[in-house]
C-alpha cells in the first residue's frame, strides 16, 4: 500500500470520480443534482420528450436505477447488495420506495462510501450499511442476499466471471442478479478498437464483453437468464445533456470530451449498446 494513502483506501484511478468529489465540495447545485447521487447515464421512456434540464436528467438517472431494480425483482422485505454502489444512488432509490429492506452498498473506493454514508439515511423500516470491498471477492457469507445489483460499473471490475461466481455464491436460492452494461456489437465493430486505456477519464474499462459472452458465462455459472433489454435509444439524451453540462460547468478536459463523443457515436451507430440484464439463481 502507498504510505501516503489512508488505510482501506486502495489506489483507484477513476478521474471522473476525482473530478466529482472535488467539485461536489463547492456547493455546486447543478452537479450535485446530476451526479451527486446517481453516477450513471439516464433513462427516458420517451427520449424525444427529453427536455435536458437538470431536473430532467435527475429524473432520468433515477429511472435507470429503477430499470435495474425491476430486472432484479426487488420487493419489500429483502436483503439487497448494491455492488459498485458509488454515492449510493440505487441504494437510496430502494430505500425510498421499499420497506423492511436490509440494504448493503459495496465499493472499493472508500471516498465514495463516505459521501454515501453522509447522504443516504435509512428510513425507519429499513437498514443500510455501506462497506468497502472488492466486487470479485465479496466479503459476505454464502446465500446472504435475495438480490445482487451492479449498476453501470461492471466494466471496471477486473474479471466479470469472478464477479459472477461471487454473486452466485452470496445469492440465496431463487435470488436475482441484475446489472447494466455497455456491450459491443461484434458483427459491426472490431473488438480491439474499443478497448479504453487505463489513463482515460472514465478509468480502466473492460468493454469487450458482448451479449453472447454474458449468455455463455451465465450458463457456465448456472444462472438462468430472465432479461436482456437493450435500452440504448432510451439513454441517448444523456450525451446531449453532458455536452450542456460541460459548457455550464466549464469542463475543458479534452480526454473526457473525446471519450464521451466517441461512445455516443458508437451508440448511435449501434456498434455499442446499453443493456439491462437479469438472471436467477
Amino acid at each position: 500500500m502507498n504510505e501516503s494513502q489512508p488505510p482501506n483506501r486502495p489506489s483507484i484511478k477513476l478521474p471522473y470520480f476525482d473530478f466529482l468529489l472535488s467539485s461536489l465540495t463547492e456547493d455546486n447545485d447543478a452537479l450535485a443534482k446530476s451526479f451527486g447521487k446517481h453516477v450513471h447515464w439516464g433513462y427516458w421512456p420517451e427520449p424525444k420528450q427529453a427536455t435536458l434540464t437538470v431536473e430532467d436528467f435527475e429524473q432520468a438517472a433515477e429511472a435507470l436505477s429503477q430499470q435495474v431494480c425491476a430486472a432484479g425483482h426487488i420487493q419489500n422485505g429483502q436483503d439487497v447488495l448494491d455492488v459498485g454502489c458509488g454515492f449510493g444512488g440505487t441504494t437510496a432509490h430502494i430505500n425510498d420506495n421499499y420497506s423492511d429492506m436490509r440494504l448493503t452498498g459495496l465499493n472499493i473506493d472508500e471516498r465514495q462510501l463516505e459521501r454515501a454514508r453522509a447522504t443516504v439515511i435509512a428510513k425507519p423500516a429499513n437498514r443500510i450499511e455501506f462497506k468497502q470491498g472488492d466486487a470479485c471477492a465479496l466479503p459476505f457469507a454464502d446465500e446472504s442476499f435475495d438480490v445482487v445489483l451492479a449498476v453501470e460499473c461492471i466494466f471496471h471490475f477486473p474479471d466479470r466471471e469472478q464477479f459472477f461466481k461471487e454473486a452466485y455464491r452470496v445469492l440465496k436460492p431463487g435470488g436475482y442478479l441484475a446489472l447494466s452494461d455497455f456491450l459491443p456489437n461484434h458483427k459491426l465493430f472490431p473488438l480491439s478498437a474499443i478497448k479504453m486505456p487505463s489513463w482515460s477519464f472514465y478509468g480502466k474499462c473492460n468493454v469487450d464483453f458482448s451479449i453472447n459472452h454474458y449468455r455463455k458465462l451465465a450458463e457456465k455459472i448456472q444462472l438462468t437468464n430472465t432479461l436482456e433489454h437493450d435500452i440504448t435509444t432510451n439513454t441517448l439524451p444523456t450525451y446531449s445533456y453532458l455536452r450542456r453540462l460541460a459548457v455550464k460547468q466549464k469542463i475543458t478536459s479534452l480526454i473526457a470530451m473525446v471519450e464521451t463523443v466517441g461512445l455516443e457515436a458508437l451508440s448511435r451507430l449501434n456498434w455499442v449498446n446499453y443493456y439491462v440484464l437479469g438472471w436467477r439463481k
Side-chain angles (χ1 to χ4, degrees):
M1 178 182 291
N2 187 327
E3 293 182 358
S4 65
Q5 288 187 320
N8 298 323
R9 183 172 293 181
S11 178
I12 307 297
K13 293 184 178 180
L14 294 174
Y16 73 108
F17 266 108
D18 296 338
F19 167 77
L20 288 174
L21 286 162
S22 173
S23 301
L24 288 169
T25 64
E26 300 170 2
D27 195 25
N28 188 324
D29 187 61
L31 200 64
K33 288 182 176 179
S34 302
F35 293 108
K37 180 180 179 183
H38 298 286
V39 190
H40 53 64
W41 272 200
Y43 172 91
W44 287 261
E46 300 292 339
K48 292 182 180 179
Q49 296 180 11
T51 62
L52 304 182
T53 63
V54 171
E55 291 73 22
D56 180 53
F57 183 76
E58 187 179 18
Q59 292 174 7
E62 183 79 5
L64 193 140
S65 277
Q66 184 177 17
Q67 289 290 310
V68 181
C69 287
H73 296 258
I74 300 289
Q75 301 176 28
N76 293 332
Q78 290 183 323
D79 292 283
V80 179
L81 173 61
D82 179 13
V83 182
C85 65
F87 297 146
T90 300
T91 299
H93 169 79
I94 300 170
N95 181 51
D96 289 341
N97 290 280
Y98 299 87
S99 62
D100 192 25
M101 305 297 286
R102 294 159 299 281
L103 308 174
T104 304
L106 183 91
N107 201 289
I108 200 167
D109 186 358
E110 181 66 25
R111 300 172 306 164
Q112 298 174 44
L113 296 174
E114 289 171 0
R115 179 176 177 85
R117 294 187 189 106
T119 58
V120 184
I121 308 302
K123 289 193 171 183
N126 296 333
R127 185 203 72 196
I128 297 177
E129 177 186 13
F130 289 103
K131 186 177 181 66
Q132 192 272 336
D134 186 342
C136 294
L138 296 175
F140 307 107
D142 296 357
E143 300 183 2
S144 298
F145 298 97
D146 298 291
V147 182
V148 174
L149 305 175
V151 182
E152 202 174 298
C153 59
I154 194 170
F155 42 79
H156 289 311
F157 300 170
D159 189 327
R160 281 180 176 85
E161 181 172 341
Q162 181 58 30
F163 167 65
F164 264 58
K165 289 178 179 177
E166 283 291 277
Y168 184 92
R169 179 182 64 79
V170 302
L171 275 173
K172 300 174 185 178
Y176 286 89
L177 167 64
L179 58 85
S180 62
D181 196 2
F182 296 94
L183 306 183
N185 186 333
H186 288 177
K187 294 181 180 178
L188 298 175
F189 197 74
L191 177 63
S192 60
I194 59 173
K195 289 186 177 179
M196 297 171 69
S198 60
W199 45 260
S200 77
F201 181 71
Y202 295 108
K204 187 174 182 180
C205 299
N206 175 3
V207 289
D208 62 356
F209 217 75
S210 71
I211 190 65
N212 286 331
H213 285 116
Y214 270 117
R215 289 167 183 163
K216 292 177 181 178
L217 177 56
E219 183 179 2
K220 180 177 181 180
I221 304 298
Q222 296 185 324
L223 287 165
T224 301
N225 178 277
T226 56
L227 180 70
E228 293 178 359
H229 188 194
D230 183 346
I231 61 168
T232 307
T233 300
N234 305 94
T235 65
L236 290 178
T238 299
Y239 300 100
S240 298
Y241 180 75
L242 289 177
R243 283 193 291 273
R244 290 191 180 191
L245 187 67
V247 171
K248 291 180 179 179
Q249 298 294 319
K250 299 180 180 179
I251 300 172
T252 59
S253 169
L254 180 61
I255 295 174
M257 185 182 304
V258 169
E259 290 178 349
T260 306
V261 170
L263 183 55
E264 178 181 9
L266 295 175
S267 298
R268 292 190 183 278
L269 288 168
N270 198 38
W271 289 354
V272 171
N273 302 111
Y274 195 113
Y275 272 84
V276 172
L277 303 170
W279 300 269
R280 187 172 187 266
K281 178 175 177 179

